[in-house]
Structure formats: C-alpha cells, structure tokens
Amino acid sequence: MRPLVATIDLAAIRHNYAVAKRCAPGREAFAVVKANAYGHGVREVVGSLPEADGFAVACLEEAAEVRRVNAEARVLLLEGCFEPAEYHSAAQLALDVVVQGAEQAEALLAAQLPGPLNVWLKLDSGMHRLGFAADQLRHWHARLAGATQVAELNLLSHFACADERGHPLTEQQVEAFLDLLDLDFDQRSLANSAAILTIPAAHMDWLRPGIMLYGATPFVDLTAKELGLRPAMCLTAQLIGLRDVAVGESVGYGACWVAQRPSRIGTVSCGYADGYPRHAPSGTPLVVRGQRVPLAGRVSMDMLAVDLTDLPEAQLGDAVELWGAQLPVDELAQACGTIGYELLTKVTARVPRRYRSF
Ligand SMILES: Cc1ncc(COP(=O)(O)O)c(C=O)c1O
C-alpha cells in the first residue's frame, strides 16, 4: 500500500468545537462541515459531534449527507437553494435555509412544501458576495414574516475581514447588522471562527465555526496553538528513496534545485496529486524524526524531494510529516502563499483518511 495517510483526530475536533462554545457561553453553534468537513470527512466529523447544535453546508447534496448521519440536528444551507425545486427537498430533510436574493425569496413564497422551513435572511453587510441590502432585507422581512412556508424567520450575515484584527470594515459590518435590531427575528448569526475568537460583540445567537474546528487559525498573527486549538489532520508520508548527489547535480523536474554541497536527498511519497501544493518553494519545511528539513526542487505528481544532508540518521521508511502536530498546516500555507483552508480542503480522494477519537 502506498505510504501516505491523513490521520484525523476526531477528539481534537470535539475539543475545538468546545473551545468555540466556551468563547460564547449560552450561544448555539453550527459546525461548518461544507467541502467534506474541510477535507476531514463529513460523515465521520458529523458522527463524532453528537453534541453539536447544528451543522452548516454549502449545498443540498452536502446537507443530505449530514442528515443521513444525524437525524435531529439543525442543518443550515449557507447559500440557500440553487433552484426552486430544491425547497421541497430542503423541507423533506427539515433543513434551515439561507435566503440571499430576491429570486430565492420569490421561489420560496411560490413553493408548496410538506412543512415550513427555518429561514435565514442574509444581509449583505459589506462583503458584497451574497445577501440583501438593508432596505431590501426590510422588504423581504415584511413579506416572509407569517408566510406559510416560513417557520422561524432569522437574520444572518458574513464577515469579509474578521481575520484581520482591527479592520475597519468589520466594525461597519457589525453596525449594519445591529441597525436591523428593530426587526423581529427569532435568531441571529454573524460570527465565523475569527469573530468567535476575537469579537464578542458579533456572537449573537448562533455561531458558525469552520476553520477553528479543524485546528487551524484564521489569523496571520495568532497561531492555532495560541488560540487553544488542537490540529485535527496530520498528513504523513514515508521516505521511499535516498541518494547522495554531488555538488552541481540537480534534483527533480526542471533541474531547479542544484546541490551547493555534497547532499543527501530523500524521496517522499506525496505529491501534488495528493493535494500538496505544487508551488511550494524549495526550503518549505517538512518533518522527519522530529526535525525540520527543507523541500528540494519541484513537487512532482506523486512524490517530492527533501534535503536530508543535515539529518544523516534519516533512513528509508522513515515517516515524513507534511503537516500536522509537529508542523502546523498554517505554517506550510504561509510558506506557500496560501491559507490552511485551501490546503485542508484540497487533500484529494486518493489519500486514505484514518480516524482516531482519543
Ligand atoms: C457563510 C459562512 N459562514 C461561516 C463560515 C465559516 O468560516 P470559518 O471557516 O472562517 O470559520 C463560512 C466559511 O467560509 C461561510 O461561508
């Protein structure tokens, strides 16, 4: 079997969910499990969080998967229904739905449903991606309140810059949200991970933690460890080749890495077809025998090379941590000019996930 595995620590995810809840006592929380629970496996993650108040997903297909595992919890469709026929399925699955545009709202009012839905009207408070402007939101609040298709009528919005502490847009977004306090909503939701961790004024009734559940940080200047989060995924490969290269010899495609000293090169069983970023530059850290060693040359489809010259005890078969407990995914992401979210969600289907829950 190919020696590459993503080990998922379900106990860490439970711990991180509890951290979110502790940040905002008395509030409820949708665990955000879209994109296959940020790459961690939606069935396993949902199954390991029976205490979660609810789950949030991006589409009906993801919601159906959550429902199969948890018959009771609230399941929120973050972008709402993409076509009118989806409302019927959403009602059958007893979902909560976001309504973020006039077409969605009209389709809801025209729908014949087996039961009423909890509806979350989305305010565009400044991100300008989805949602109603304040005056439109007031209009739709009036039209949807009391409609037979609507059970709870709730308010939701999303931050653009909560991960950049002190960004002026965040305060404007909170103000835009609070400007609608005169409207009668059953529940309100505004906070993603960054706001849960640092903006108590944004906590409202329902939190929406995503990245923090998986033990990564939304911030550039605060590590997951500093936030009390435990990493949930460890991506581990093996040294499957070892060789000495002389000064002036190159390694890998494009012959981009050239030995400046007599060097020992290890070949590692992980490549870009597994989700490791192809654009990771030489020097990006990996961990062998508890020590950081630098990536050497271009990442191949199924393999990459590491410079082991400063780790002479390394042997064929040694485990190589691409990210995890010893090397935070956020650190690799920074080295590659991306974010932990992207690395976690891009671990491909061919990488087996192994689960532990202790
Ligand atoms: C609407 C919405 N709410 C909450 C989240 C969770 O955000 P985070 O992973 O930063 O906690 C997301 C994720 O992108 C989202 O789109």
Side-chain angles (χ1 to χ4, degrees):
M1 207 170 88
R2 185 160 176 256
L4 176 65
V5 64
T7 306
I8 314 291
D9 181 350
L10 296 171
I13 295 175
R14 279 207 302 278
H15 164 86
N16 297 334
Y17 183 81
V19 171
K21 293 277 286 192
R22 269 203 304 278
C23 286
R27 302 337 202 271
E28 306 211 62
F30 289 111
V32 181
V33 294
K34 60 187 172 147
N36 197 28
Y38 289 41
H40 293 68
V42 66
R43 266 174 280 126
E44 291 80 2
V45 170
V46 170
S48 75
L49 282 174
E51 68 274 37
D53 307 307
F55 297 93
V57 294
C59 60
L60 196 61
E61 293 75 10
E62 292 180 346
E65 188 113 43
V66 173
R67 227 348 134 240
R68 272 195 281 281
V69 183
N70 187 319
E72 301 295 328
R74 291 176 74 151
V75 181
L76 172 62
L77 273 186
L78 288 169
E79 294 163 43
C81 292
F82 294 113
E83 47 187 284
E86 290 191 351
Y87 279 113
H88 196 264
S89 311
Q92 279 178 326
L93 291 167
L95 305 183
D96 284 38
V97 295
V98 163
V99 171
Q100 48 81 10
E103 295 76 9
Q104 279 187 341
E106 295 286 8
L108 173 62
L109 286 175
Q112 304 264 334
L113 302 179
L117 289 161
N118 292 331
V119 169
W120 294 79
L121 277 181
K122 183 159 188 169
L123 171 69
D124 180 0
S125 55
M127 186 161 181
H128 301 140
R129 186 173 69 174
L130 291 178
F132 297 104
D135 55 336
Q136 297 167 338
L137 194 127
R138 287 178 180 278
H139 165 82
W140 285 107
H141 176 273
R143 284 197 57 194
L144 291 175
T148 55
Q149 295 88 347
V150 179
E152 285 181 6
L153 188 54
N154 304 322
L155 177 65
L156 175 145
S157 193
H158 190 52
F159 284 118
C161 305
D163 53 325
E164 292 174 46
R165 286 187 289 159
H167 196 292
L169 183 55
T170 303
E171 204 181 313
Q172 289 170 32
Q173 290 194 264
V174 174
E175 275 170 20
F177 198 87
L178 294 177
D179 267 354
L180 297 173
L181 266 186
D182 59 303
L183 294 181
D184 188 19
F185 285 108
D186 294 298
Q187 313 277 336
R188 291 175 174 80
S189 176
L190 180 55
N192 56 359
S193 296
I196 292 165
L197 290 159
T198 58
I199 314 173
H203 286 167
M204 309 297 161
D205 304 304
W206 280 81
L207 315 169
R208 302 193 311 272
I211 195 69
M212 68 181 293
L213 297 179
Y214 308 103
T217 180
F219 304 104
V220 175
D221 58 345
L222 269 176
T223 65
K225 194 168 176 197
E226 287 167 339
L227 295 166
L229 303 173
R230 282 168 44 189
M233 183 190 290
C234 190
L235 185 62
T236 315
Q238 239 179 48
L239 285 180
I240 58 168
L242 271 180
R243 74 211 56 249
D244 294 318
V245 300
V247 173
E249 288 185 321
S250 66
V251 171
Y253 284 119
C256 296
W257 188 92
V258 177
Q260 306 296 311
R261 55 178 178 171
S263 300
R264 195 138 182 269
I265 294 296
T267 301
V268 178
S269 53
C270 180
Y272 63 78
D274 303 301
Y276 194 90
R278 182 177 176 277
H279 60 280
S282 285
T284 299
L286 299 96
V287 178
V288 179
R289 295 186 176 228
Q291 189 174 313
R292 291 186 181 210
V293 282
L295 180 75
R298 278 196 198 151
V299 175
S300 307
M301 187 182 291
D302 315 306
M303 288 171 273
L304 54 83
V306 61
D307 180 0
L308 296 169
T309 315
D310 296 325
L311 188 63
E313 62 271 35
Q315 284 182 11
L316 219 54
D318 278 357
V320 181
E321 182 177 307
L322 290 313
W323 68 71
Q326 302 173 87
L327 178 66
V329 67
D330 301 305
E331 200 180 319
L332 173 64
Q334 248 180 50
C336 300
T338 183
I339 51 177
Y341 298 74
E342 184 177 18
L343 296 182
L344 294 172
T345 54
K346 281 194 169 165
V347 175
T348 58
R350 78 169 178 173
V351 180
R353 272 69 164 172
R354 302 263 162 71
Y355 291 91
R356 57 192 187 89
S357 44
F358 48 85

